[in-house]
């Protein structure tokens, strides 16, 4: 049992569905055991209260790496909340604990204590309301590891969609589509497809920024002036790149069949299609970090917290993918 990789799962926003879906892990493991040992980073008393609310017969055990997994038991690395957490009600007082969970999981991954980290959803707004600047897991982990560039990639529904820019207002996107950003992102995507998915020479489909990929310059010149020179230079190095492609037709089956992954220029260019194809079972993978990190691809769903209606499917897939990457 001790040879099993240990996967750290952060419970995320305590008022959201993170605790609910983490409490579903023991029942899932009974039916389909993971090839790993899971430890949930959370306030132990929060999990006990939510389990009672949901009437889930889950046994909670304090995390001890020397103990093997036990059926029906959730191993918990306890990090206390600042105050009580009520399902569906955000409290900025608990925001610091949400970040502490990430810091502890990250420290364990960097020390070798954990093989990977999987994150349940956080609420960006309440963290900022608490006076801490936070734009998302991806950016936070990049800052904490001093990684100059990371790439967010969503996986699900038979698609892998990476993003050049992430949580930016739409008006700021064109200025962020630079030659440096595109080249660095494509290099990370190319390298990580080999490391994490075993595809050493991936075919990458690159979306244009503008409608019709600029229509030869009539609908914007970013494709001509910025994107094409980078793509041609990297092709000369041996990368298999197709693009820039019009985003409205890139997601058709004939085009998708030609690639192993897609690079979209901004958040809502690529993710609506992926979420339509995989909602509830898609995941988020951070590429370029010195650790393995996967995540659910949904939010905190405050309206579902404590109701028993939250779907844990995305969490299960995120864990399975993290385990596969750890073994690879």
């Amino acid at each position: 049992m001790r040879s099993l990789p240990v996967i750290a799962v952060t419970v995320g926003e305590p008022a959201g569905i993170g605790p609910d879906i983490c409490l579903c892990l023991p029942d899932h493991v009974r039916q389909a055991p993971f090839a790993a040992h899971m430890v949930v980073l959370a306030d132990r008393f929060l999990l006990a209260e939510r389990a009672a609310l949901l009437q889930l017969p889950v046994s909670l055990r304090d995390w001890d790496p020397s103990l093997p997994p036990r059926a029906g038991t959730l191993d918990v690395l306890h990090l206390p909340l600042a105050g009580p957490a009520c399902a569906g009600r955000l409290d900025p007082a608990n925001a610091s604990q949400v970040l502490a969970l990430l810091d502890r999981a990250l420290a364990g991954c960097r020390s070798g204590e954990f093989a990977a980290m999987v994150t349940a959803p956080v609420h960006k707004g309440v963290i900022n309301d608490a006076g801490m600047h936070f734009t998302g897991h991806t950016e936070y982990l990049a800052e904490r590891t001093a990684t100059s560039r990371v790439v967010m990639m969503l996986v699900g529904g038979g698609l892998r969609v990476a993003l050049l820019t992430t949580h930016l207002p739409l008006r700021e996107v064109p200025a962020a589509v630079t030659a440096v950003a595109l080249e660095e992102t494509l290099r990370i995507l190319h390298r990580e497809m080999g490391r994490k998915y075993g595809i050493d020479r991936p075919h990458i489909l690159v979306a244009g920024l503008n409608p019709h990929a600029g229509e030869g310059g009539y609908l914007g010149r970013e494709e001509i002036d910025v994107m094409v020179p980078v793509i041609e230079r990297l092709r000369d190095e041996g990368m298999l790149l197709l693009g820039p492609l019009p985003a409205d037709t890139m997601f058709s089956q004939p085009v998708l069949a030609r690639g192993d992954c897609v690079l979209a220029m901004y958040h809502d260019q690529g993710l609506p299609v992926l979420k339509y194809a995989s909602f509830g079972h898609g995941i988020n993978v951070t590429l370029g970090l010195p650790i393995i990190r996967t995540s659910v691809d949904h939010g905190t769903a405050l309206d579902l917290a404590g109701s028993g209606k939250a779907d844990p499917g995305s969490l299960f897939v995120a864990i399975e993918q993290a385990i596969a990457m750890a073994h690879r």
Side-chain angles (χ1 to χ4, degrees), residues 137-143 145 147-152 163-164 166 185 188 286-290:
H137 278 111
T138 303
E139 297 84 355
Y140 184 82
L141 294 173
E143 180 182 350
T145 57
T147 304
S148 59
R149 184 175 298 279
V150 295
V151 177
M152 178 191 291
L163 302 177
L164 181 71
T166 53
T185 299
I188 291 169
T286 306
L287 307 178
L289 290 173

Side-chain angles (χ1 to χ4, degrees), residues 111-163:
S111 71
E113 178 185 8
F114 307 137
M117 64 184 289
V118 177
T119 56
V122 298
H123 193 284
K124 301 179 186 68
V126 75
I127 296 173
N128 282 279
D129 287 344
M132 294 170 281
H133 178 67
F134 184 85
T135 57
H137 278 111
T138 303
E139 297 84 355
Y140 184 82
L141 294 173
E143 180 182 350
R144 286 297 203 228
T145 57
T147 304
S148 59
R149 184 175 298 279
V150 295
V151 177
M152 178 191 291
M153 184 168 76
L154 278 290
V155 180
L159 301 173
R160 301 185 187 99
V161 180
L163 302 177

Side-chain angles (χ1 to χ4, degrees), residues 26-245:
D27 186 59
H28 178 79
V29 169
R30 284 194 195 97
Q31 303 173 48
F34 293 119
H37 191 165
M38 249 64 58
V39 54
V40 173
L41 279 61
D43 184 303
R44 194 177 193 277
F45 301 104
L46 165 69
L47 291 177
E49 290 170 1
R50 194 66 62 86
L53 178 64
L54 296 169
Q55 298 182 343
L56 292 174
V58 177
S59 173
L60 303 178
R61 181 175 67 173
D62 290 330
W63 167 242
D64 182 340
S66 68
L67 298 176
R70 187 171 67 190
T73 299
L74 193 65
D75 286 305
V76 182
L77 199 167
H78 175 66
L79 281 85
L81 289 164
C86 180
R89 296 183 186 176
L90 295 170
D91 185 349
N94 286 323
S96 60
Q97 189 257 9
V98 174
L99 298 185
L101 298 176
L102 299 179
D103 291 339
R104 178 64 181 86
L106 178 59
C109 287
R110 301 194 79 176
S111 71
E113 178 185 8
F114 307 137
M117 64 184 289
V118 177
T119 56
V122 298
H123 193 284
K124 301 179 186 68
V126 75
I127 296 173
N128 282 279
D129 287 344
M132 294 170 281
H133 178 67
F134 184 85
T135 57
H137 278 111
T138 303
E139 297 84 355
Y140 184 82
L141 294 173
E143 180 182 350
R144 286 297 203 228
T145 57
T147 304
S148 59
R149 184 175 298 279
V150 295
V151 177
M152 178 191 291
M153 184 168 76
L154 278 290
V155 180
L159 301 173
R160 301 185 187 99
V161 180
L163 302 177
L164 181 71
T165 65
T166 53
H167 301 116
L168 281 181
L170 193 55
R171 69 174 61 192
E172 297 178 16
V173 169
V177 179
T178 66
V180 171
L182 181 61
E183 179 172 346
E184 289 180 352
T185 299
L186 284 169
R187 289 190 185 280
I188 291 169
L189 184 54
H190 181 272
R191 181 181 71 240
E192 293 281 73
M193 285 295 293
R195 290 180 178 177
K196 290 185 167 58
Y197 292 96
I199 305 173
D200 292 327
R201 294 197 70 212
H203 289 75
I204 302 174
L205 309 179
V206 183
L209 172 67
N210 297 294
H212 302 179
E215 193 82 36
Y218 290 100
L219 296 177
R221 291 196 54 87
E222 285 84 359
E223 288 79 8
I224 294 171
D225 296 339
V226 177
M227 301 181 70
V228 169
V230 172
I231 290 171
E232 289 182 347
R233 184 167 66 253
L234 295 182
R235 278 189 193 133
D236 290 342
E237 293 182 14
M239 287 193 194
L240 304 176
L241 307 175
L242 184 63
L245 300 169

Side-chain angles (χ1 to χ4, degrees), residues 259-271:
D260 297 300
C261 59
V262 168
L263 177 63
M265 293 299 101
Y266 56 93
H267 189 280
D268 283 11
Q269 183 185 56
L271 298 196

Side-chain angles (χ1 to χ4, degrees), residues 263-318:
L263 177 63
M265 293 299 101
Y266 56 93
H267 189 280
D268 283 11
Q269 183 185 56
L271 298 196
V273 177
L274 183 134
K275 292 195 175 187
Y276 175 79
S278 67
F279 194 75
H281 296 272
I283 68 164
N284 184 347
V285 181
T286 306
L287 307 178
L289 290 173
I291 64 161
I292 296 169
R293 180 259 173 168
T294 66
S295 178
V296 299
D297 76 337
H298 56 72
T300 53
L302 297 170
D303 57 324
L304 295 180
S307 71
K309 297 178 181 178
D311 182 353
S314 181
L315 178 66
F316 299 158
V317 176

